[in-house]
Amino acid sequence: MTEFTPILSLLGGSLIGLAAVALMAVHGRIAGISGILGGLLQSPGSADWSWRAAFVAGMASSAMIVALASGWSPNYEVPVTTLMLLGGGVLVGLGATLGSGCTSGHGVCGISRFSARSIVATCTFMATGLVTVFLIRHVFGG
Amino acid sequence: MLKLLTAFAIGLLFGIGILISGMANPAKVLNFFDLFGTWDPSLAFVMGGALTVSVIGYRLIFRMKKPLLAQSFSLLTRSDLDSRLIGGSAIFGIGWGISGICPGGLLPALSLGRIEPIYALVGVLVGIAGAKLLTKTLDRPAAAPSPNQIKGAGNA
């Protein structure tokens, strides 16, 4: 069970949107996290490598910075096995790269521009996510 | 330097948004997908909040001639729907449903001091590298790179 948090989720979502808008306004870039991560696997010499690294560093240190500044730490529960984290992670990286984006790139940035590709991609991964959880939790036990 | 500082700050803001929204928590994401069990609709509110701000924000920004610290807006303008887009997205959703993690939710969790996000990150990076290798192989017969496009060693 996780608690339904409409206000915090709306607030957090607005900050995500604000960050996506800021990245476009300042750097002219789509805030697609899988793409930015993928860019880091290219050679570090490229011009885009350093802003991507800085962006990822900001994201990756956010929990620590928030904890140091306010003492607040979010709930974090992993109701799946390590194998599911690893295997699911591989599919996440593989699928998001083949499909040119994930929740942030397609779901937020792409839909904001009313991109047909992003709308189709978002509906697709939402649907397969729903089916996967249904199968794991209600068909194969869980 | 200003580019790096702003990129870091925007990444930090993005991460704080993820943390406050609850989307760093795999249990919360999985419960969004569990309509017939412990359903938690929070993720829809995250998307609603994000899209409200970004739809309006993008509209305002695109009135500018160019971004503040770059020469132009880097936008993808493709509109065709191909099997790679749909197949890749389908695979992504399956992985998301198995693990409860997506790239944006994963990164902020890395500094929680837990081991699970590290496992997930390893998986995601392996998947990204695999996809790059796969697309490189698939695209090779169609368009062989000309000599000046071949980059030095160190490419993934």
Side-chain angles (χ1 to χ4, degrees):
Chain A
M1 238 1 237
T2 53
E3 194 190 345
F4 174 41
T5 53
I7 305 293
L8 283 179
S9 288
L10 207 55
L11 176 69
S14 310
L15 294 182
I16 294 169
L18 195 63
V21 171
L23 194 65
M24 186 59 76
V26 178
H27 294 268
R29 294 301 182 134
I30 294 278
I33 309 305
S34 56
I36 292 174
L37 263 182
L40 285 183
L41 294 180
Q42 315 286 348
S43 60
S46 74
D48 283 334
W49 197 89
S50 47
W51 78 260
R52 289 188 172 121
F55 181 88
V56 167
M59 274 191 84
S61 58
S62 57
M64 191 183 67
I65 291 174
V66 167
L68 289 175
S70 68
W72 179 74
S73 181
N75 289 333
Y76 190 78
E77 303 157 66
V78 182
V80 301
T81 63
T82 301
L83 187 65
M84 287 164 85
L85 270 184
L86 271 169
V90 170
L91 295 180
V92 163
L94 184 78
T97 305
L98 288 177
S100 314
C102 57
T103 334
S104 48
H106 280 311
V108 177
C109 298
I111 291 186
S112 298
R113 297 168 48 229
F114 306 103
S115 150
R117 279 171 63 84
S118 291
I119 292 167
V120 168
T122 304
C123 292
T124 305
F125 58 66
M126 288 288 180
T128 54
L130 279 170
V131 170
T132 303
V133 169
F134 180 79
L135 289 176
I136 290 175
R137 291 196 174 178
H138 302 291
V139 178
F140 299 116
Chain B
M1 196 60 201
L2 189 58
K3 277 191 175 183
L4 295 186
L5 279 176
T6 50
F8 182 88
I10 296 166
L12 180 62
L13 178 67
F14 200 114
I16 292 172
I18 294 273
L19 293 168
I20 291 177
S21 74
M23 293 303 113
N25 187 2
K28 207 165 167 63
V29 172
L30 290 173
N31 281 342
F32 174 74
F33 287 133
D34 196 4
L35 290 181
F36 305 102
T38 51
W39 191 45
D40 177 350
S42 299
L43 192 148
F45 284 70
V46 180
M47 293 293 287
L51 285 173
T52 306
V53 173
S54 56
V55 165
I56 298 169
Y58 270 9
R59 187 147 292 193
L60 294 175
I61 285 174
F62 291 140
R63 291 183 186 170
M64 309 193 311
K65 285 198 185 72
K66 64 185 198 63
L68 297 175
L69 297 179
Q71 292 310 310
S72 62
F73 295 108
S74 299
L75 296 172
L76 302 167
T77 48
R78 281 177 68 177
S79 59
D80 59 308
L81 303 174
D82 62 336
S83 55
R84 212 174 279 183
L85 174 84
I86 295 170
S89 297
I91 294 171
F92 165 56
I94 293 170
W96 201 16
I98 291 174
S99 61
I101 61 121
C102 65
L106 166 65
L107 290 181
L110 286 172
S111 56
L112 284 172
R114 302 270 300 241
I115 187 72
E116 295 95 329
I118 313 283
Y119 292 135
L121 179 68
V122 169
V124 170
L125 291 178
V126 167
I128 292 176
K132 284 184 183 288
L133 213 64
L134 188 64
T135 46
K136 215 183 248 179
T137 314
L138 291 175
D139 293 341
R140 191 167 292 152
S146 61
N148 57 1
Q149 280 178 310
I150 297 172
K151 293 173 194 152
N155 279 328

